Amino acid sequence: MLKNYLKIAWRNLLSSKLFSSINVFGLSVGMTCCMLLLLYIMSEMSFDKHQEHANDLYLLRSENVQSNGDKMDNPRAPAPYAQAVKAEFPEVEQVTRLWWNFLEAKTLLKVTQPGRPEKSFYETKGISVDSTFFDVFTYQFVEGDARTSMNDPHSVVLSEDVAHKFFGKESALNQTIRIGGRSGNNEDYKVTGVFRDESARSHIDARYFMSINSGWVGDYLRQPNLDFTNNNMFYTYLRLKPGTSAEKFSNKLPSFIEKYARKDLRLAGFDKKLFLLPVKDIHLFNKIDRIVTSTTSTTYLYVLASIALFTLLIACINFMNLATARSARRAAEVGIRKVMGAGKSGLIGQFLGESMVLTFLALIVAVISVIVFLPVFNQLADKNLSISELFKPEVALAFIGLAIITGLLAGSYPAFYLSVFNPLDVIKGKFVNSVSATTLRRGLVVFQFVISIGLVVATMVIQGQIKFMQEQPLGFKKEQQIVIPLRSQEAKKAYNALRNEILQDNQVSAASGTSYYPGIINPSDMSVFLPGQSVNSDVLVKTNGVAADFMKTMDFKLAAGRMFSAEYPADTNNKIVVNEATLRKFRIPLDKAVGQKLNFNMDEKEIGSLEIVGVVKDFHFEDLHKVIEPYAFFLNNDTDFNYVIAHVNTKDLSTVLPFLETKWKSLIPEEPFSYTFLNDDFQSNYSADARTSRIINTFTVISILISCLGLFGLAAFAAQQRTKEIGVRKVLGASIPSIVALLSGDFIKLVLISILIATPLTWYVMGKWLQDFAYSIKMEWWMFIIAGVLAIVIALLTVSSQAIKAAMTNPVKSLKSE
């Protein structure tokens, strides 16, 4: 019987090549899109699942509560928390700390071997960890012993890629690397291990690990009496004993705060609450946008999942529409089978079987398409998925399950619809174009175009928001600003000489030093309060140490007072320039801001004082997802800067960059010259939004294509069904345009209904998306007009091709067709 069903299914496919091709192509495209997006989503959800102790690993995160009620999530904790938690709670099997060097995006690494030229590279993603790190997290070592690799303060563990870069095919074990910057203090470190780089699926995406007891952070940790309140800069991880209830353990954390931190917290004027965050949930914990590396928005994954589902649904709807539309051709077969004794279940099985044959044909095409288009998708989604992912058992089973669900979904209505035909009705012709079938087809077409119109509007809104973010005035000049990082103490010491040298070029109009610049992470802040008020009324203010001419180089706009300048050599670091947001937070009028004092706690007994000498207009030091918060500039006379910003007055950088590199090499010959553009650094904050835009743009086009395929098939079927009517109308004098309008009118009505339904739904959904931005565009009525007109034009072009063909057919031939 099964063999018979398969034969019939194959014959039906071959007898209707156009409809079969449309169905297979539409389903394969829908499945390809769904499979690619499914691969992406599965990749994002697999982070840290490979950890041996994944179910027992937790990050100790905190929520700082200011006296005014403001709350701030912090994934980091002060240095003493790790050992104190382990000593306090027997449920804790092991603890470890991680310090990410937020002061340096890149670190200079050098290797000097006898008789060989020195190798030096800037490396990213260097992380300092406790000696217990590899007892908590699972890494596959190809050289060295994970258990003892971090015991020595001057030890470093490399990824395979970094090891190959420095040592080629030689063993890296026990080799020596000099590590610059604050993290390494330009000291020598012994390679104690090499790990296989699987960190792409971990929230700790490291290229090398070094001991937390070395470099600047090691010096900091050796200070006596580290408190439990300030310097929240260590990611603290706990490995609980198997079987420990995380919820019950969390209930004990308030008593820990009371015992160890309450005194310091009262002095600092804020409160702290501790929480456990499962490590396997970190990558999707978008409440904090960065935990070691950037987290992923769950909303973004829901968007991708919705696009995958809708694209597949559109393809399934095409199948259902075409199958029910062609029911007249199968009705006689059903009637004969029923007269011969075929049961309803047998007919359902037959038609579902045909659907499965089509679906698995589409699956084969889809798998081939995924293999072919995966590199393109990786570029589109900024991902590094490999073809080997397809052959993992769970992925293969997911795809087979997807095909089965698709086959059942696409074939369910046609199977049940065709199987209930009454043989007598078949003979009388009552089944042809039944109201229920016609209504369903129209409803499904409306559903398809609701999705397509919604995606078109979403594309316009996202593109508009990205353009708005790119063009929005930021309060400073971001164009033609070259950022030169100072990665080592040698480079920092050469700041004055480097600045003077590069200013010799008349194409460099200004150059200045800074600890941070807009668009990158600035972890520096302090709590300040007005004189006469208690510390409980404090406000958290971002801070930045800058050279005297930095604000002029950046072209900040002055609102009151003055900026730092060489004309005021008496300025010290108790003078500050603040933004307007600081005044609003303290309710200080602009005309009374200059000379206003602000206090801060220096220690338990002494209060420090700051004086406002100037106010700059608000500027975006973070991206437009975030509201502008209080910000203060300090004058740094020590020239201990992390960056030099050079403003050039030409767009032709072909001569400026070589000049800058020459000056760099003359002063710091042992270090490679490195630079970025401030505009690019700032725009990189919107990479996730740009990725969303690219994916939605692409899949919008695909969904419209699939919808048009179904519409084309239905138009062809409608033209076939009305062949005789068209012939009669032409004999009676109907023109070709009137016949085209007749055949197109029904479909245009459906598109108009789709526009009415899609408009409020899309308005609501995209309104929610825009709420993620502190500064955003407003949705305009013309976006929906454009989407609607586009849908009508596409529908007309799709349907009219078949309508014109039918209208131009010889009426004699049309009248003979029946």
Side-chain angles (χ1 to χ4, degrees), residues 601-658:
N601 274 4
M602 296 182 69
D603 52 42
E604 294 186 19
K605 298 179 181 179
E606 189 175 357
I607 293 178
S609 180
L610 306 169
E611 180 185 349
I612 298 175
V613 297
V615 180
V616 294
K617 292 185 177 180
D618 281 338
F619 64 95
H620 293 275
F621 56 89
E622 294 181 299
D623 61 77
L624 272 68
H625 289 92
K626 300 169 185 175
V627 177
I628 296 173
E629 298 288 353
Y631 200 100
F633 293 100
F634 287 81
L635 183 63
N636 181 358
N637 286 318
D638 294 332
T639 69
D640 184 20
F641 300 117
N642 297 322
Y643 305 94
V644 176
I645 310 290
H647 178 60
V648 297
N649 52 27
T650 177
K651 292 184 179 181
D652 181 14
L653 302 176
S654 59
T655 57
V656 178
L657 290 174

Coordinates of all heavy atoms in Angstrom, one line a residue, residues 601-658:
N601 N 33.5 61.5 49.2 CA 34.2 60.8 50.4 C 35.6 60.4 50.0 O 35.8 59.5 49.1 CB 33.4 59.6 50.9 CG 32.3 60.1 51.9 OD1 32.2 61.2 52.1 ND2 31.6 59.1 52.4
M602 N 36.6 60.9 50.6 CA 38.0 60.5 50.3 C 38.3 59.2 51.2 O 38.9 58.3 50.7 CB 39.0 61.6 50.7 CG 38.9 62.8 49.8 SD 40.1 64.1 50.1 CE 41.6 63.3 49.6
D603 N 37.9 59.2 52.4 CA 38.0 58.1 53.3 C 36.9 58.2 54.4 O 36.0 59.1 54.3 CB 39.4 57.9 53.8 CG 39.9 59.1 54.5 OD1 39.1 59.8 55.2 OD2 41.1 59.5 54.3
E604 N 37.1 57.4 55.5 CA 36.0 57.5 56.5 C 36.0 58.8 57.2 O 34.9 59.2 57.8 CB 36.4 56.4 57.6 CG 36.2 55.0 57.0 CD 36.4 53.9 58.1 OE1 36.2 54.3 59.3 OE2 36.6 52.8 57.8
K605 N 37.1 59.6 57.2 CA 37.1 60.8 58.0 C 37.2 62.1 57.2 O 36.7 63.1 57.6 CB 38.4 60.8 59.0 CG 38.3 59.6 60.0 CD 39.6 59.7 60.8 CE 39.6 58.5 61.8 NZ 40.8 58.5 62.7
E606 N 37.7 62.0 56.0 CA 37.9 63.2 55.2 C 37.0 63.3 54.0 O 36.8 62.3 53.3 CB 39.4 63.2 54.8 CG 39.8 64.6 54.1 CD 41.3 64.6 53.8 OE1 42.0 63.7 54.1 OE2 41.7 65.6 53.2
I607 N 36.5 64.5 53.7 CA 35.7 64.7 52.5 C 36.4 65.6 51.6 O 37.0 66.7 52.0 CB 34.3 65.4 53.0 CG1 33.5 64.4 53.8 CG2 33.6 65.8 51.7 CD1 32.2 65.0 54.3
G608 N 36.5 65.2 50.3 CA 37.2 66.0 49.3 C 36.2 66.9 48.6 O 35.0 66.7 48.7
S609 N 36.7 68.0 48.0 CA 35.9 69.0 47.4 C 36.3 69.2 45.9 O 37.5 69.2 45.6 CB 36.0 70.3 48.2 OG 35.2 71.3 47.6
L610 N 35.3 69.4 45.1 CA 35.6 69.7 43.7 C 34.9 71.0 43.3 O 33.8 71.3 43.9 CB 35.0 68.6 42.8 CG 35.4 67.1 43.1 CD1 34.6 66.1 42.3 CD2 36.9 67.0 42.7
E611 N 35.5 71.7 42.4 CA 34.9 73.0 42.0 C 34.6 73.0 40.5 O 35.4 72.7 39.7 CB 35.8 74.2 42.3 CG 35.2 75.5 41.9 CD 36.2 76.7 42.1 OE1 37.3 76.4 42.7 OE2 36.0 77.8 41.5
I612 N 33.3 73.3 40.1 CA 32.9 73.4 38.7 C 33.5 74.7 38.1 O 33.2 75.8 38.6 CB 31.4 73.3 38.6 CG1 30.9 72.0 39.1 CG2 31.0 73.5 37.1 CD1 29.3 71.9 39.1
V613 N 34.3 74.6 37.1 CA 34.8 75.8 36.4 C 34.1 75.9 35.0 O 34.3 77.0 34.4 CB 36.3 75.7 36.2 CG1 37.0 75.7 37.6 CG2 36.7 74.5 35.4
G614 N 33.5 74.9 34.6 CA 32.8 75.1 33.3 C 31.7 74.0 33.1 O 31.7 73.0 33.7
V615 N 30.8 74.3 32.1 CA 29.8 73.3 31.8 C 29.7 73.2 30.2 O 29.7 74.2 29.5 CB 28.4 73.8 32.3 CG1 27.3 72.8 31.9 CG2 28.4 74.1 33.8
V616 N 29.8 72.0 29.8 CA 29.7 71.7 28.3 C 28.3 71.2 28.1 O 27.6 70.6 28.9 CB 30.7 70.7 27.8 CG1 32.1 71.3 27.9 CG2 30.6 69.4 28.5
K617 N 27.8 71.5 26.9 CA 26.5 71.0 26.5 C 26.5 69.5 26.5 O 27.5 68.9 26.2 CB 26.0 71.6 25.2 CG 25.8 73.1 25.2 CD 25.3 73.6 23.9 CE 25.0 75.1 24.0 NZ 24.4 75.7 22.7
D618 N 25.3 68.9 26.7 CA 25.3 67.4 26.7 C 25.8 66.8 25.5 O 25.5 67.3 24.4 CB 23.8 67.0 27.0 CG 23.4 67.1 28.4 OD1 24.3 67.1 29.3 OD2 22.2 67.2 28.7
F619 N 26.5 65.7 25.6 CA 27.0 65.0 24.5 C 26.8 63.5 24.7 O 26.7 63.1 25.9 CB 28.5 65.3 24.2 CG 29.4 64.9 25.3 CD1 30.1 63.6 25.3 CD2 29.6 65.7 26.5 CE1 30.9 63.2 26.3 CE2 30.4 65.3 27.5 CZ 31.1 64.1 27.5
H620 N 26.8 62.7 23.7 CA 26.6 61.3 23.8 C 27.9 60.6 24.0 O 28.6 60.3 23.0 CB 25.9 60.7 22.6 CG 24.5 61.2 22.4 ND1 23.4 60.6 23.0 CD2 23.9 62.2 21.7 CE1 22.3 61.2 22.7 NE2 22.6 62.2 21.9
F621 N 28.3 60.3 25.2 CA 29.5 59.5 25.5 C 29.2 58.0 25.4 O 30.2 57.2 25.3 CB 30.1 59.9 26.8 CG 29.2 59.7 28.0 CD1 29.1 58.4 28.7 CD2 28.4 60.7 28.5 CE1 28.3 58.3 29.8 CE2 27.6 60.5 29.6 CZ 27.5 59.3 30.2
E622 N 27.9 57.7 25.4 CA 27.6 56.3 25.0 C 26.6 56.3 23.8 O 26.2 57.4 23.4 CB 26.9 55.6 26.2 CG 27.8 55.4 27.4 CD 27.1 54.8 28.6 OE1 26.1 55.4 29.1 OE2 27.5 53.7 29.0
D623 N 26.3 55.1 23.3 CA 25.5 55.1 22.1 C 24.0 55.5 22.5 O 23.7 55.7 23.6 CB 25.5 53.7 21.5 CG 24.9 52.7 22.5 OD1 23.7 52.6 22.6 OD2 25.7 51.9 23.0
L624 N 23.2 55.7 21.4 CA 21.9 56.2 21.6 C 20.9 55.3 22.2 O 19.7 55.6 22.3 CB 21.4 56.8 20.2 CG 21.7 58.2 19.9 CD1 23.2 58.4 19.7 CD2 21.0 58.8 18.7
H625 N 21.3 54.1 22.6 CA 20.4 53.2 23.3 C 20.2 53.8 24.7 O 19.3 53.4 25.4 CB 21.0 51.8 23.4 CG 20.9 51.0 22.2 ND1 22.0 51.0 21.3 CD2 20.0 50.2 21.6 CE1 21.7 50.2 20.3 NE2 20.5 49.7 20.5
K626 N 21.2 54.6 25.2 CA 21.2 55.0 26.6 C 21.0 56.5 26.7 O 21.5 57.3 25.9 CB 22.6 54.6 27.2 CG 22.8 53.1 27.1 CD 24.2 52.7 27.5 CE 24.4 51.2 27.2 NZ 25.8 50.8 27.5
V627 N 20.4 56.9 27.8 CA 20.2 58.3 28.2 C 21.5 58.9 28.6 O 22.3 58.3 29.2 CB 19.1 58.4 29.3 CG1 18.9 59.9 29.7 CG2 17.8 57.8 28.8
I628 N 21.7 60.2 28.3 CA 22.9 60.9 28.7 C 22.8 61.1 30.2 O 21.9 61.6 30.8 CB 22.9 62.3 28.0 CG1 23.1 62.1 26.5 CG2 24.1 63.1 28.6 CD1 23.0 63.4 25.7
E629 N 23.9 60.7 30.9 CA 24.0 60.7 32.3 C 25.0 61.8 32.7 O 25.8 62.3 31.9 CB 24.4 59.3 32.9 CG 23.3 58.2 32.6 CD 22.1 58.4 33.5 OE1 22.0 59.3 34.3 OE2 21.1 57.6 33.2
P630 N 25.1 62.1 34.1 CA 26.1 63.0 34.5 C 27.5 62.6 34.1 O 27.9 61.4 34.2 CB 25.9 63.0 36.0 CG 24.5 62.7 36.2 CD 24.2 61.7 35.1
Y631 N 28.4 63.6 33.8 CA 29.7 63.3 33.3 C 30.6 64.5 33.7 O 30.2 65.6 33.7 CB 29.7 63.2 31.7 CG 30.9 62.5 31.2 CD1 30.8 61.2 30.8 CD2 32.1 63.2 31.0 CE1 31.9 60.5 30.2 CE2 33.2 62.5 30.4 CZ 33.1 61.2 30.0 OH 34.1 60.5 29.5
A632 N 31.8 64.2 34.2 CA 32.7 65.2 34.6 C 34.1 65.0 34.1 O 34.6 63.8 34.0 CB 32.8 65.2 36.1
F633 N 34.8 66.0 33.6 CA 36.2 66.0 33.1 C 37.1 66.5 34.2 O 36.9 67.5 34.8 CB 36.4 66.8 31.9 CG 35.6 66.3 30.7 CD1 34.4 66.9 30.3 CD2 36.1 65.3 29.9 CE1 33.7 66.5 29.2 CE2 35.4 64.8 28.8 CZ 34.2 65.4 28.4
F634 N 38.2 65.7 34.5 CA 39.2 66.2 35.4 C 40.5 66.5 34.5 O 40.7 65.9 33.5 CB 39.6 65.0 36.4 CG 38.6 64.8 37.4 CD1 37.5 64.0 37.2 CD2 38.8 65.4 38.7 CE1 36.6 63.8 38.2 CE2 37.9 65.1 39.7 CZ 36.7 64.4 39.4
L635 N 41.2 67.5 35.0 CA 42.5 67.8 34.3 C 43.6 66.8 34.8 O 43.8 66.7 36.0 CB 42.9 69.2 34.6 CG 44.2 69.7 33.9 CD1 43.9 69.7 32.4 CD2 44.5 71.1 34.4
N636 N 44.2 66.1 33.8 CA 45.3 65.2 34.1 C 46.6 65.8 33.7 O 46.9 65.9 32.5 CB 45.0 63.9 33.4 CG 46.1 62.8 33.6 OD1 47.0 63.1 34.4 ND2 45.9 61.7 33.1
N637 N 47.4 66.3 34.7 CA 48.6 66.9 34.4 C 49.8 65.9 34.4 O 50.9 66.3 34.1 CB 48.9 68.0 35.4 CG 48.1 69.2 35.2 OD1 47.9 69.7 34.1 ND2 47.5 69.8 36.3
D638 N 49.5 64.6 34.7 CA 50.5 63.6 34.7 C 50.8 63.0 33.4 O 51.8 62.2 33.2 CB 50.1 62.5 35.7 CG 50.0 63.0 37.1 OD1 50.7 64.0 37.4 OD2 49.2 62.4 37.9
T639 N 50.0 63.3 32.4 CA 50.1 62.8 31.0 C 50.1 61.3 31.0 O 50.6 60.6 30.1 CB 51.4 63.3 30.3 OG1 52.6 62.6 30.9 CG2 51.6 64.8 30.3
D640 N 49.4 60.7 31.9 CA 49.2 59.2 31.9 C 47.9 58.9 31.2 O 46.9 58.5 31.8 CB 49.2 58.7 33.4 CG 49.1 57.2 33.4 OD1 49.4 56.5 32.4 OD2 48.6 56.6 34.5
F641 N 48.0 59.0 29.9 CA 46.8 58.9 29.1 C 46.8 57.5 28.4 O 47.8 56.9 28.1 CB 46.7 60.0 28.0 CG 46.7 61.4 28.6 CD1 47.7 62.3 28.3 CD2 45.6 61.8 29.4 CE1 47.7 63.5 28.9 CE2 45.6 63.0 29.9 CZ 46.6 63.9 29.7
N642 N 45.6 57.1 28.0 CA 45.4 55.8 27.3 C 45.3 56.0 25.8 O 45.6 55.1 25.0 CB 44.1 55.1 27.7 CG 44.2 54.7 29.2 OD1 45.2 54.3 29.7 ND2 43.0 54.8 29.9
Y643 N 45.0 57.3 25.4 CA 44.8 57.5 23.9 C 45.3 58.9 23.6 O 45.2 59.9 24.4 CB 43.3 57.4 23.5 CG 42.7 56.1 23.9 CD1 42.0 55.9 25.1 CD2 42.8 55.0 23.0 CE1 41.5 54.7 25.4 CE2 42.2 53.8 23.3 CZ 41.6 53.6 24.5 OH 41.0 52.4 24.9
V644 N 45.7 59.1 22.4 CA 45.9 60.4 21.8 C 44.9 60.5 20.7 O 44.7 59.7 19.8 CB 47.3 60.6 21.2 CG1 47.4 61.9 20.4 CG2 48.4 60.4 22.2
I645 N 44.1 61.7 20.7 CA 43.2 61.9 19.6 C 43.7 63.0 18.7 O 44.1 64.1 19.2 CB 41.8 62.4 20.2 CG1 41.3 61.5 21.3 CG2 40.8 62.6 19.1 CD1 40.9 60.1 20.8
A646 N 43.9 62.7 17.5 CA 44.4 63.7 16.5 C 43.3 64.1 15.5 O 42.7 63.2 14.9 CB 45.6 63.1 15.8
H647 N 43.0 65.4 15.5 CA 42.0 65.9 14.5 C 42.7 66.4 13.3 O 43.5 67.3 13.4 CB 41.1 67.0 15.2 CG 40.1 67.6 14.2 ND1 39.1 66.8 13.7 CD2 40.0 68.8 13.7 CE1 38.4 67.5 12.9 NE2 38.9 68.8 12.9
V648 N 42.3 65.8 12.2 CA 42.9 66.2 10.9 C 41.9 67.0 10.1 O 40.7 66.8 10.2 CB 43.4 65.0 10.1 CG1 44.4 64.2 10.8 CG2 42.2 64.0 9.8
N649 N 42.4 68.0 9.3 CA 41.6 68.9 8.5 C 41.5 68.5 7.1 O 41.3 69.3 6.2 CB 42.0 70.3 8.7 CG 43.5 70.5 8.4 OD1 44.1 69.7 7.6 ND2 44.1 71.5 9.0
T650 N 41.8 67.2 6.8 CA 41.6 66.7 5.4 C 41.0 65.4 5.4 O 41.1 64.6 6.3 CB 43.0 66.6 4.7 OG1 42.9 66.1 3.4 CG2 44.0 65.7 5.5
K651 N 40.2 65.1 4.3 CA 39.6 63.8 4.2 C 40.5 62.8 3.5 O 40.3 61.6 3.4 CB 38.3 63.9 3.4 CG 37.2 64.7 4.2 CD 35.9 64.7 3.4 CE 34.9 65.4 4.2 NZ 33.5 65.5 3.5
D652 N 41.6 63.3 2.9 CA 42.6 62.5 2.2 C 43.7 62.1 3.3 O 44.5 62.9 3.6 CB 43.2 63.2 1.1 CG 44.3 62.4 0.3 OD1 44.3 61.1 0.6 OD2 45.1 62.9 -0.5
L653 N 43.5 60.8 3.7 CA 44.4 60.4 4.8 C 45.7 59.7 4.3 O 46.5 59.1 5.1 CB 43.7 59.5 5.8 CG 42.4 60.1 6.4 CD1 41.7 59.0 7.3 CD2 42.8 61.3 7.3
S654 N 45.8 59.6 3.0 CA 46.9 58.9 2.4 C 48.3 59.4 2.8 O 49.3 58.7 2.7 CB 46.8 58.8 0.9 OG 46.8 60.2 0.3
T655 N 48.3 60.7 3.1 CA 49.6 61.3 3.5 C 49.7 61.5 5.1 O 50.8 61.4 5.6 CB 49.8 62.7 2.9 OG1 48.7 63.5 3.2 CG2 49.9 62.5 1.4
V656 N 48.5 61.7 5.7 CA 48.5 61.9 7.1 C 49.0 60.6 7.9 O 49.8 60.7 8.8 CB 47.2 62.4 7.6 CG1 47.2 62.6 9.1 CG2 46.8 63.7 6.9
L657 N 48.4 59.5 7.6 CA 48.7 58.3 8.3 C 50.1 57.8 8.2 O 50.7 57.5 9.2 CB 47.7 57.1 7.8 CG 46.3 57.3 8.2 CD1 45.4 56.2 7.6 CD2 46.1 57.3 9.8
P658 N 50.7 57.9 7.0 CA 52.2 57.6 7.0 C 53.0 58.5 7.8 O 54.0 58.1 8.4 CB 52.5 57.7 5.5 CG 51.2 57.4 4.8 CD 50.2 58.0 5.7

